[in-house]
Structure formats: C-alpha cells, structure tokens
Amino acid sequence: MLEALIREGSFKWLLSKRSSFAEEVEELQRSPSAGRNWIPELSPVANIVVRRCSKILETSSNELLESFNAEASDSVKSQHARNFLEYCCFKALALSTRVMGHLADKKFRRLTFDMMVAWEAPASASECLVNLDDDLSVGVEAFSRIAPAVPIIANVIICENLFNVLTISTDGRLHFSVYDKYLNGLERVIKRMKSQSESSLLSAVRRSRGEKILEVDGTVTTQPVLEHVGVSTWPGRLILTDHALYFEALKVVSYDKPKRYDLSNDLKQIVKPELTGPWGTRLFDKAVLYKSISISEPVVIEFPELKGHTRRDYWLAIIREILYVHKFINKYRVTGVEKDDALSKAILGILRVQAIQEISSSNPVQFESLLMFNLCEQLPGGYFILETLAKMSKSRELDRGNNLVAGGGMYSISALAMVSNLGFVFDSCSSSSNPSEAGLLVGEVVVGEMSLLEKAVKESRDDYKRVVLAQETVAGVKVDGIDTNLAVMKELLLPVLEVGKGLLSLVYWDDPPKSLMFCLIFTFIIFRGWVGYALALMVLFFAIFMVLTRFFNQGRPVDEIKIIAPPPMNTMEQLLAVQNAVSQFEQLIQDGNIILLKFRALLLSVFPQASEKVAASLLLTALMVALLPGKYMFLLIFLEIFTWYSPARKASTERWMRRLREWWFSIPAAPVVLEREKEDKKKK
C-alpha cells in the first residue's frame, strides 16, 4: 500500500525537495506588488531572476524595462524577452561583483546559475520547458552566454572547453552541485593567491617591479622541484609571477638568491617539455625546458612524481600562458589599461585552471584548452582571435581618448575590473579607489548581439572542427609497410603516369601523324606567343572540372580507391628489401658524386680537350641567348628536342647519343682524398 501511495504521488510533498524557484513564484503571486513586478512577456523563471536583479539594483522590474527600451537598439529589441533578461543580468552582476568576497556568497552563486536557467526559457511561451520541482541543469549555450559576464567564472574564448570539463560526468548538462563546487574551488585559489601576494616571497623584487605571484611549487618535500643546468642539479622553490619565472635553490636552512627567467621581454624564449634522467640520459618525461638569448645554456626544471606528468603539464601550460600574453602585448604594442586587462585575462585563466585542478583531480585535464592565450596558439584561427582582441583594445583606447563610455547595462564587466574587485590592483588603477574611476573598459559580452570576439571564436572553432575531421580521414588512410605505401602511391599517380607515357610516345614518334600534329600545334602556339594563354587554359580546365564534379556529385559518397595489396613479407624478406633499398640508394649517391666530380674536372680543365669543347659550346649558347629573342630561342629548343626521334633524324640522333656517351665516359673524375680523424683530436 505504501508503494502504491508513493507511485501515485501522494507523498510527493514529503519526499521531494522543492526548488527555490517554485517557492519564489508562489511568494510573488501572493505579494500585493505582484502586478508591478511581473512582466507578462517573461516566463515565471525569468520574472524571478529579473525580480532578484531589481532588488540588487534597488529599482523595480518595470523601471528596468523602461531603461532597457531606452538604451537598446531596434535589433536588440527584436528578441525582447531574452535580451531584456541579459540586460538585467549584466547590470546586476556588474554591481554584485564590486562586493569583496562575492564568490563566497551562496546567494550570488545561486543567482548566476538561475540566470542560466532563465536564459534557456526566457519567454512566457517557454514556460513548459522548465519543471521547477526537478533538479535544474543548464546547457552550453546558456553557460557560454551568462558565465563570461563574470570574467572570473569563464571567458568567451574558453567557456565551451570549461563547460565540457565541468559536465564530463553529467552527460552535457551542468547541475548546480557541480557549479557550486567549481565556485568553491575558485574562492579557495583566490584566497591562496592573495596570501602569496601578501607574503614575503620575492618581496624586494616584487616591490621594485610590481609583479604578482601566481603559483609556487617545491615547498613540500613530497613534491620537490629540481633545476638542471648543464651537469649540475639543485632542488629548490619555483615561483611564477605575471612577468617572470624564479627559482630559489635550497640551502641547508634557507633558500639561495632567486634566479630570474624572463617571460615578458622578447628574448626568443623557448618553453617546451623535456626528458630527463640520471647521468644525462633521457628517460622521464617530467620536465620543462627554458631557453633564451639572455642565458648561456638551457635550463631544465623537473617535477618528479611517481605516476604520470600532470605537474609538469600544469606548469608548462601556465608558464606558456604568461609567455604568450606578453608576446601578444609586445606584438600588438598594447599599453596602459589595455595591457593590464590582457594580463588580467591570463591571471583569471590560471585561477580557473587551479580551481579545476582542485575539484577534478581524478580526471585528466588538458590545461592548454582552459587558458585563452594557449588556446589561441593551438586553434587554426587563433591569430585572428588575437588580432580581434588587439583591434578591440585599440578601439576602446580611442573611445577613452574621446571621452566616450560604452553604455552601462549593455555590456558585461571587464577582466581588469574583475581582478581589481578581487583585490589585485594594477598600476593603471592604483591611483583610484574605485575601479570604475580608472577608465576601466567594458567586457566582451554584449546584450542581444555577438561581439567581434565571439564571432572570431566561433569562426575559429568551426575551422578547428573541419581540421579535426580532415585529420581523422588522414589517420584512417595511413598504411604500414614500404611495399604497401608504394602500391598506394603508384595507384594515385596512375593518371600522371598515363599522361607521361602519352607524352613520351609523342616524343619518340611511335605514332608519326599524332606526333607531327602535336609538333605543328605547339610550334604555332610558341610562334604566336600564346604559351601563357595555353597554361591558363589548362588551369581553367582543372577549375571547370572541379566545379562540375562538385555539382554532379553533390551528396554522393566519395568513391574509394581500390588497391591490390602486395603479398605480406616475413621478417627476413623485409630485412632483405631494406638492404636492397639501401644499396640502390647508395648507388644513386655514388652516381651523383661521379657526375659532380666530372663537372669539377671540366671546370678545372683536368681534361683540357674536353674542357675546350665545353667552353666553346657555352660560348655559342651565350651568343644565341644574347642575340635571339626569347620566343625564338624557346621555339628552337622545342623543335630541336622534339624532332630527335622523328623518322628523318632518328638514325643521326642515335649516332650522336652514342658519341656523347663515349665522350662522357672518357672524362676523368676530379681526385678525392679521404682524411681520417686523428686519434689526438678524438681524445680532445
């Protein structure tokens, strides 16, 4: 009977946990000011979110609506419900994030998640899409639209990759429990970075250069850091700032003076993974190599661990992020507030990676995909994203110079404003107590529109997907074995080989009428100076062929190339085939060396009689090139070569070829002496 009651839902009120949305809808409906705070065009979920935003902004929902209608353009008003919701969200988030420690506020966390829920069902017509009593979840579009409005949570460039990491175990939907855990991790890493910045680490260096500590490693004995320079190895402490990498070698009771490896100036730095091992061997893939023109020899930083190389991958990613952001700043000459904003983006990216590392220690994470400047180096259109960032920076700099300020609620907040609100103050805004007074720029998300950056990211991701699909086809057609690859190549080059056979048949006059016709046509083309037009006609033929093929084969699968595989070879046959190929290659090299040595003998007159003939031939050729026009010279060469094997000249050509071979064999090669390296040189 109890099971029947549960099945019928009689105990649903007792067993189910109602969401805050359902409670707020009932509260709003019972409120005497329900009519003033309820907008009919919005769904109940969107109305609740707008009501929360109005409380933060200390205004009413209708006043927010009037403000939106006054600021928004006609194109933004077309999708009224969703764009008005974004407007309210951006204004409320811009104000909420000014409060120190807002990430620790549970109401703020719930509000940002509920904004995503409302974004998926903003209009009253979409009311049935959301069940307020269920465990609510959001998709990638809602996350990519709302989360970048708070730059510490996500970024336009990496938000899709971040969403995939957060939803790896929830089938592509983000639940509040996971989202709340992620924000908890962000709060912890922010506190840790603040404590590192307030500590005495590198205090003298940071005071003079204004650098901020982003990460420290090597302070725990179970996770040491080793520096390899030449044959010497030292344990110590590794510190990453927003401008450089520092290593402090460990002494008996303290640390040595820090060594600085610059990441901000253009010193041709190379940062890459490296193999290490005892006595110079290359066994363990757990190190990072740093190389620049400022140091005499490369430095290898090793991160020993029992299993895998996660620590190395993490440090490699964050070091490269600082290096790449400074490359971006130097290449596009970004200065002032815009430079601080670019550095803020890199710092926030590192904080997000640290938070993800804390909450998903069991799942492998590609750190480069969560750092925007790393990702721009990997994506096919990454350079276009960086160019768009630079153009947006220049545009905002001009707007500030002309005292033009972008409209408040139509944009999200900037990364620099976010970092300043978190307590990390840059030089550009250190003189102002309020970040908004320092001329801070607006963010990268615009109400109701795709910003230039979002368009660049979308285009780059589409290109990346096409590259991935193309690489999958490449991986699928790779075959093993030299003989099999040669068979594939022979089949692919079959049309070219057939064309070559046809041309050789014309040159050797196997069919005299065809050869004569070809000779007359080509002679006429050369004489009239139409060689360029003939080449253009051939290229045009290929273009027309490709267009017609695309038109008639549209939607049809591509025909597979069928290749008869050669019989398999055992190990001994493979070794003999390799030995035979090496012998043939060696013979080719020997023949090439003999040709070069004979040319050297002719040039140095080792055989004077032959050298005199060659010199006379070169003199005659030079006179012809100097006196004859290029068209007639080309015509003469074509007729001479093409008519070698014509019926009238075949006998004389064979006779001259035989004499030429005899003359070539009679030329001696220039002498060569091989000197062996002496024993004393080897010992040195």
Side-chain angles (χ1 to χ4, degrees), residues 209-244:
R209 301 176 186 269
E211 298 182 15
K212 297 168 183 60
I213 294 178
L214 305 181
E215 185 61 287
V216 180
D217 201 353
T219 56
V220 182
T221 55
T222 57
Q223 292 183 332
V225 176
L226 305 177
E227 182 192 53
H228 302 272
V229 181
V231 295
S232 63
T233 301
W234 292 97
R237 180 168 59 190
L238 188 65
I239 303 172
L240 176 68
T241 70
D242 56 350
H243 284 76

Side-chain angles (χ1 to χ4, degrees), residues 612-682:
E612 290 173 1
K613 291 181 180 179
V614 173
S617 302
L618 292 175
L619 180 61
L620 182 62
T621 304
L623 290 173
M624 292 177 63
V625 171
L627 299 176
L628 284 177
K631 177 175 68 175
Y632 297 110
M633 188 72 186
F634 185 41
L635 179 61
L636 186 64
I637 293 172
F638 170 73
L639 289 175
E640 171 63 24
I641 294 176
F642 194 80
T643 58
W644 273 352
Y645 293 96
S646 61
R649 298 186 59 193
K650 185 174 182 180
S652 62
T653 299
E654 291 177 351
R655 185 169 59 254
W656 277 103
M657 285 294 178
R658 186 171 59 253
R659 290 181 180 178
L660 182 63
R661 281 194 298 270
E662 292 171 356
W663 173 79
W664 177 255
F665 291 145
S666 66
I667 298 172
V672 175
V673 177
L674 296 177
E675 293 184 355
R676 301 295 180 184
E677 190 176 7
K678 295 180 181 179
E679 292 296 327
D680 57 343
K681 289 185 179 180
K682 286 185 180 180

Side-chain angles (χ1 to χ4, degrees), residues 125-190:
S126 57
E127 181 178 350
C128 59
L129 299 178
V130 179
N131 189 345
L132 301 181
D133 291 330
D134 288 343
D135 182 16
L136 300 177
S137 62
V138 296
V140 63
E141 290 186 13
F143 182 82
S144 301
R145 196 66 190 159
I146 300 298
V150 185
I152 182 61
I153 298 177
N155 177 281
V156 168
I157 299 174
I158 60 92
C159 58
E160 191 172 327
N161 295 337
L162 178 60
F163 182 86
N164 293 334
V165 172
L166 293 175
T167 59
I168 192 170
S169 60
T170 54
D171 214 12
R173 299 288 295 182
L174 178 62
H175 295 267
F176 179 72
S177 57
V178 178
Y179 178 73
D180 186 60
K181 188 178 179 182
Y182 167 59
L183 295 190
N184 263 324
L186 278 175
E187 177 67 17
R188 287 195 297 272
V189 297
I190 290 170

Side-chain angles (χ1 to χ4, degrees), residues 5-290:
L5 288 172
I6 293 174
R7 225 178 9 250
E8 291 171 4
S10 302
F11 290 160
K12 186 177 181 181
W13 63 272
L14 182 62
L15 298 177
S16 64
K17 183 180 179 181
R18 302 193 67 196
S19 69
S20 59
F21 270 131
E23 296 173 358
E24 285 192 62
V25 168
E26 292 181 2
E27 180 187 345
L28 185 58
Q29 289 173 350
R30 291 194 301 266
S31 173
S33 60
R36 188 162 56 90
N37 287 323
W38 190 271
I39 299 175
E41 293 87 355
L42 301 181
S43 65
V45 176
N47 267 296
I48 292 300
V49 170
V50 170
R51 184 192 180 204
R52 294 182 194 171
C53 294
S54 66
K55 286 182 179 180
I56 294 171
L57 299 168
E58 297 181 351
T59 184
S60 66
S61 300
N62 287 326
E63 288 174 353
L64 278 174
L65 181 59
E66 292 173 2
S67 177
F68 170 74
N69 291 330
E71 290 187 39
S73 61
D74 294 335
S75 60
V76 174
K77 292 177 185 176
S78 59
Q79 291 186 348
H80 187 274
R82 177 164 287 166
N83 294 343
F84 172 60
L85 177 67
E86 288 184 1
Y87 175 81
C88 298
C89 293
F90 290 175
K91 284 183 73 74
L93 291 174
L95 187 61
S96 299
T97 51
R98 292 183 184 179
V99 179
M100 194 69 69
H102 55 272
L103 281 178
D105 186 1
K106 293 183 178 180
K107 290 183 179 179
F108 175 82
R109 298 180 188 178
R110 188 75 227 188
L111 174 63
T112 54
F113 185 81
D114 290 345
M115 286 175 176
M116 302 176 202
V117 175
W119 191 91
E120 289 193 326
S124 57
S126 57
E127 181 178 350
C128 59
L129 299 178
V130 179
N131 189 345
L132 301 181
D133 291 330
D134 288 343
D135 182 16
L136 300 177
S137 62
V138 296
V140 63
E141 290 186 13
F143 182 82
S144 301
R145 196 66 190 159
I146 300 298
V150 185
I152 182 61
I153 298 177
N155 177 281
V156 168
I157 299 174
I158 60 92
C159 58
E160 191 172 327
N161 295 337
L162 178 60
F163 182 86
N164 293 334
V165 172
L166 293 175
T167 59
I168 192 170
S169 60
T170 54
D171 214 12
R173 299 288 295 182
L174 178 62
H175 295 267
F176 179 72
S177 57
V178 178
Y179 178 73
D180 186 60
K181 188 178 179 182
Y182 167 59
L183 295 190
N184 263 324
L186 278 175
E187 177 67 17
R188 287 195 297 272
V189 297
I190 290 170
K191 288 180 179 178
R192 187 175 67 195
M193 186 175 288
K194 280 185 180 180
S195 66
Q196 290 170 353
S197 300
E198 295 168 358
S199 67
S200 59
L201 288 175
L202 304 175
S203 56
V205 177
R206 289 193 290 123
R207 193 180 301 114
S208 61
R209 301 176 186 269
E211 298 182 15
K212 297 168 183 60
I213 294 178
L214 305 181
E215 185 61 287
V216 180
D217 201 353
T219 56
V220 182
T221 55
T222 57
Q223 292 183 332
V225 176
L226 305 177
E227 182 192 53
H228 302 272
V229 181
V231 295
S232 63
T233 301
W234 292 97
R237 180 168 59 190
L238 188 65
I239 303 172
L240 176 68
T241 70
D242 56 350
H243 284 76
L245 186 68
Y246 294 88
F247 183 82
E248 298 175 323
L250 180 62
K251 290 186 175 180
V252 179
V253 293
S254 63
Y255 289 97
D256 201 356
K257 183 180 178 181
K259 299 178 184 177
R260 187 175 192 270
Y261 304 116
D262 194 286
L263 299 173
S264 58
N265 298 311
D266 186 9
L267 301 175
K268 311 298 181 186
Q269 296 98 331
I270 297 175
V271 179
K272 63 178 184 179
E274 182 65 16
L275 300 175
T276 58
W279 302 292
T281 57
R282 295 167 56 85
L283 298 176
F284 308 115
D285 186 16
K286 299 176 187 293
V288 173
L289 179 140
Y290 174 89

